[in-house]
Amino acid sequence: MNRRELTLGAAVSALAGPAAAQTVPMGAPPQAAVAAPTSPYYAAFNAQLTRLPAAIQPDVRAFYELNGWRPMWTADRLRTLNLASARAERHGLSRSDFFDFVGLAADPDSADIRTTAAALTYARVLAEGRVRPETVEDLWEMQKNRVDLPVGLNDALAQNKIVEWYEGLAPTDIGYTNLSAGYVRYRRIIREGGWPRFVARAGTIEPGSSDNRVPAMIARLVAEGDLSAADGARLTAQGLVYGPELQTAMRGFQARHGLAADGRIGAGTQSSLGASAEDRARQIALNLERRRWLKRDLNPERIEVNTAAAIMVYWKDGRPVHSNRVVCGAPSTQTPSLEKPFASVVANPPWYVPAGIARREILPRGPAYLASQNMYVSNGTVIQRAGPRAALGYVKFELRDSYAIFLHDTPSKAAFNLSMRQRSHGCVRVQNAVEFARLLLSPDPTLLGQFDDAQVSRDTRRIQTGREITVRLLYWTAFVDGQGRVAFREDVYRRDQKLAEALGIAVSLPTVVDDGTAVANDVGP
């Protein structure tokens, strides 16, 4: 046994003293607990409670009320709690932020209640996240996860399932568990020394050219798994040439980062190569936090839009069956984080232009511009008639109570080919939107027929979906892709930066490099 284990063992013995002396069975159901006023520990615990952080006091009080205000932490339970806390790294968390068993043992009189406070605080972070999402995003309306933690901890102690209870508090879906495994892997990369710093320079490293940064590039690709260690060693021995094998590995890196996978190492790719292993690990931790905010039970049929990656995924029967590129809000007009039910499909929709867009971008151009865009003014509202050049294209996907945020088709197809597709006024433009609408309506041939008829006649028609489909607008800058790789996107909305500041995490993420220009006459929502 090493010194740390001896120290922890002594701390556990000291912490468990009062609880071990109890004759009432630990974790006994509430009806078997000693009534609070007659408990010899009630007065001391009640006084100690007021010295805890205010946010945790209600949970701690509820826990001890369930257990008759008795000490609860035996030596065996503390050892199990230590095992549970040792898994904190899997969740992008540091155990030392929550538990100091040696420090708790320094004051045996308050050790039990402070251990309970630490246990419940850690549980709250796993179950619901560390910060309130509304404090770090301007508009966040998702369904939060909620757990009765005092009851849960009480039951876990009674059933001797502390580790299992903690592991069940965090999300257990494949998106979270795969990203969690990715975090552990990046922490291992850091412990092994990370990768050499890649220094960005003006210009592009073209295929077939030579560059003294090639060894650093190879080391980076090997560390993240875009290139095998054996191939990396062989290519390093060949010198500074940016050859075909290295170009293939680089295209994989570019695809994983949402960049144009052309093998040319321009400003965007150099910026992504400049991120350190520590920065990427911290970015994963931020995204694990975002996932903990959300409720665990999801509609098996849903549409999820990752606004950081500008990608949409359609889930049916609990699995992803279809994906599209999308264009979402520009940094100045961000698509918010929303979770709303999908109400209906509108074939050939007119566009009722929001007042702000009309005032800033349309009306100042004069009547000739309105006429050229098939627009007119009615009761002070600018309206664009349905048609082939209409900003909403041939279909609109309506969401209920969504702050005028919706999904739609667009005549501006060029933006779908760009890497940076955050350039709308906040709504989400869907690639191949008509085909996607047909997919959603296909379970009911009657509804699909109505939609197809409207597409032929070009009449405006609203078609109910016949079922509720949840739409979730999310912001994931780190996620696991379909090939099991951790994929990254740059923090185009600066939400990683704001969340990191709230969590007290220092990050230095690459800057976003725009690979396109504004699309001509692109004034859609």
Side-chain angles (χ1 to χ4, degrees), residues 18 44-45 48 104 106-113:
F45 278 4
Q48 293 165 11
L104 290 170
D107 183 6
D109 291 339
S110 65
D112 197 272
I113 196 169

Side-chain angles (χ1 to χ4, degrees), residues 283-321:
Q283 191 172 19
I284 295 173
L286 296 176
N287 284 271
L288 290 171
E289 167 74 4
R290 286 194 181 98
R291 289 177 179 268
R292 289 191 290 267
W293 295 338
L294 303 174
K295 72 168 186 175
R296 308 300 190 246
D297 296 328
L298 298 176
N299 190 330
E301 184 179 22
R302 62 188 186 273
I303 298 167
E304 293 187 344
V305 177
N306 180 354
T307 57
I311 294 172
M312 182 193 75
V313 177
Y314 172 50
W315 294 71
K316 189 162 187 186
D317 299 325
R319 59 188 183 89
V321 297

Side-chain angles (χ1 to χ4, degrees), residues 219-230:
R220 169 66 176 276
L221 296 174
V222 168
E224 290 194 278
D226 297 298
L227 188 66
S228 72

Side-chain angles (χ1 to χ4, degrees), residues 455-472:
Q455 290 300 316
V456 172
S457 67
R458 294 305 180 201
D459 293 332
T460 298
R461 184 165 188 177
R462 178 174 282 101
I463 302 163
Q464 302 299 324
T465 59
R467 65 197 187 280
E468 186 169 284
I469 304 173
T470 301
V471 176
R472 306 171 83 214

Side-chain angles (χ1 to χ4, degrees), residues 161-179:
K161 292 185 176 180
I162 298 176
V163 173
E164 295 88 344
W165 179 65
Y166 274 108
E167 287 304 293
L169 290 174
T172 56
D173 63 278
I174 192 170
Y176 184 91
T177 56
N178 283 352
L179 193 59

Side-chain angles (χ1 to χ4, degrees), residues 1-277:
M1 182 177 288
N2 60 34
R3 179 179 296 180
R4 187 177 186 279
E5 290 171 331
L6 284 168
T7 303
L8 179 59
V12 165
S13 298
L15 282 166
Q22 296 303 296
T23 57
V24 179
M26 298 304 158
Q31 60 268 28
V34 178
T38 61
S39 168
Y41 299 96
Y42 174 74
F45 278 4
N46 203 41
Q48 293 165 11
L49 186 65
T50 62
R51 294 195 286 271
L52 296 175
I56 198 63
Q57 289 182 24
D59 281 348
V60 175
R61 179 179 293 279
F63 174 77
Y64 281 106
E65 285 175 348
L66 285 170
N67 290 283
W69 295 89
R70 296 178 288 111
M72 296 300 296
W73 294 100
T74 64
D76 285 343
R77 286 176 173 172
L78 286 167
R79 290 189 186 96
T80 307
L81 181 63
N82 182 54
L83 288 175
S85 68
R87 303 187 179 197
E89 184 184 61
R90 301 183 185 183
H91 306 286
L93 302 169
S94 173
R95 172 166 56 170
S96 61
D97 287 349
F98 304 94
F99 298 99
D100 177 9
F101 293 103
V102 175
L104 290 170
D107 183 6
D109 291 339
S110 65
D112 197 272
I113 196 169
R114 289 193 294 131
T115 299
T116 297
L120 288 169
T121 298
Y122 180 53
R124 181 72 66 191
V125 171
L126 289 181
E128 301 174 10
R130 201 164 190 170
V131 304
R132 291 174 50 243
E134 301 91 341
T135 64
V136 292
E137 294 198 23
D138 293 336
L139 178 58
W140 191 96
E141 284 198 9
M142 310 288 291
Q143 294 190 43
K144 295 181 181 179
N145 197 46
R146 285 290 179 259
V147 178
D148 189 333
L149 295 173
V151 169
L153 180 58
N154 179 71
D155 292 346
L157 291 173
Q159 299 166 25
N160 193 28
K161 292 185 176 180
I162 298 176
V163 173
E164 295 88 344
W165 179 65
Y166 274 108
E167 287 304 293
L169 290 174
T172 56
D173 63 278
I174 192 170
Y176 184 91
T177 56
N178 283 352
L179 193 59
S180 169
Y183 179 81
V184 172
R185 178 167 167 259
Y186 273 78
R187 293 304 303 175
R188 184 173 66 249
I189 291 173
I190 292 167
R191 288 192 290 271
E192 293 171 353
W195 51 67
R197 180 169 177 257
F198 184 92
V199 179
R201 299 175 191 158
T204 298
I205 303 177
E206 298 287 355
S209 64
S210 295
D211 194 284
N212 61 7
R213 292 169 292 177
V214 164
M217 186 194 313
I218 293 173
R220 169 66 176 276
L221 296 174
V222 168
E224 290 194 278
D226 297 298
L227 188 66
S228 72
D231 287 341
R234 181 170 49 79
L235 293 175
T236 299
Q238 293 177 7
L240 305 180
V241 177
Y242 180 41
E245 288 184 81
L246 190 51
Q247 293 162 34
T248 298
M250 180 54 65
R251 284 194 290 272
F253 174 91
Q254 290 171 325
R256 196 163 54 82
H257 288 77
L259 302 162
D262 56 8
R264 302 177 70 247
I265 306 176
T269 301
Q270 290 192 42
S271 179
S272 292
L273 284 168
S276 69

